[in-house]
Amino acid sequence: MDKSRELGTRDIQSVDAISGSSGREKSISPNTILSAVANEHRRAILNALDNASERTLEYDVLVDRVADRVRDEDANLESAEHRQRVRIALHHTHLPKLDEARIIDHEAETGHVQFVGGELEQDLLTLVEPYEAHE
């Protein structure tokens, strides 16, 4: 028996088979996927894209949807200030991380963001969604 099978670990190739993401150029590790969906902003991004037609949104629309979903730590902030914070966080942190993980495709020139992940990412989002309501 293969040593990795004995230890109960999967080879990285099997992650793509599970996630249904055969279009990816390289395999994606489970740690990368888990890290990507570990943050509330990134889950909000993926949920917004998953619910969009053709799984694509313009950047400004995505910012609005994420800002509506993610609670701000300071309830006294104006709505415009909250949206600006979300816009900055998406641009500098969350979209690059999801793009690097090959879960989304962010075209800065056109302003379009598209979900390109597979079934594994969707399954993880489905699993954590009931718990987000209780946070």
Side-chain angles (χ1 to χ4, degrees):
M1 179 179 256
D2 182 301
K3 240 186 183 171
S4 66
R5 302 280 186 225
E6 282 179 26
L7 298 174
T9 60
R10 295 183 184 166
D11 60 1
I12 293 177
Q13 290 297 92
S14 66
V15 172
D16 276 344
I18 291 170
S19 68
S21 50
S22 58
R24 289 192 178 130
E25 293 175 15
K26 291 183 176 180
S27 300
I28 184 169
S29 75
N31 288 341
T32 301
I33 294 171
L34 291 171
S35 174
V37 300
N39 179 276
E40 180 181 21
H41 283 78
R42 290 190 291 272
R43 288 191 306 271
I45 291 167
L46 295 176
N47 279 317
L49 292 171
D50 190 42
N51 293 324
S53 66
E54 298 182 30
R55 296 184 173 185
T56 302
L57 288 173
E58 290 192 27
Y59 178 69
D60 291 334
V61 173
L62 181 62
V63 169
D64 289 342
R65 291 192 184 175
V66 172
D68 288 343
R69 183 176 172 129
V70 175
R71 292 181 299 267
D72 199 318
E73 295 153 7
D74 185 356
N76 296 325
L77 279 180
E78 293 288 326
S79 178
E81 191 175 343
H82 170 65
R83 288 195 189 311
Q84 184 62 21
R85 285 185 178 190
V86 168
R87 177 180 306 283
I88 291 168
L90 264 61
H91 178 75
H92 290 287
T93 305
H94 304 300
L95 293 178
K97 184 165 184 108
L98 291 170
D99 199 16
E100 182 181 315
R102 295 176 312 279
I103 297 172
I104 66 160
D105 182 24
H106 177 219
E107 295 292 331
E109 299 83 29
T110 64
H112 290 101
V113 182
Q114 181 178 24
F115 178 83
V116 293
E119 292 174 24
L120 181 57
E121 291 90 340
Q122 289 177 313
D123 291 345
L124 285 170
L125 289 172
T126 302
L127 287 171
V128 298
E129 193 167 12
Y131 297 99
E132 287 184 340
H134 302 292
E135 287 182 354

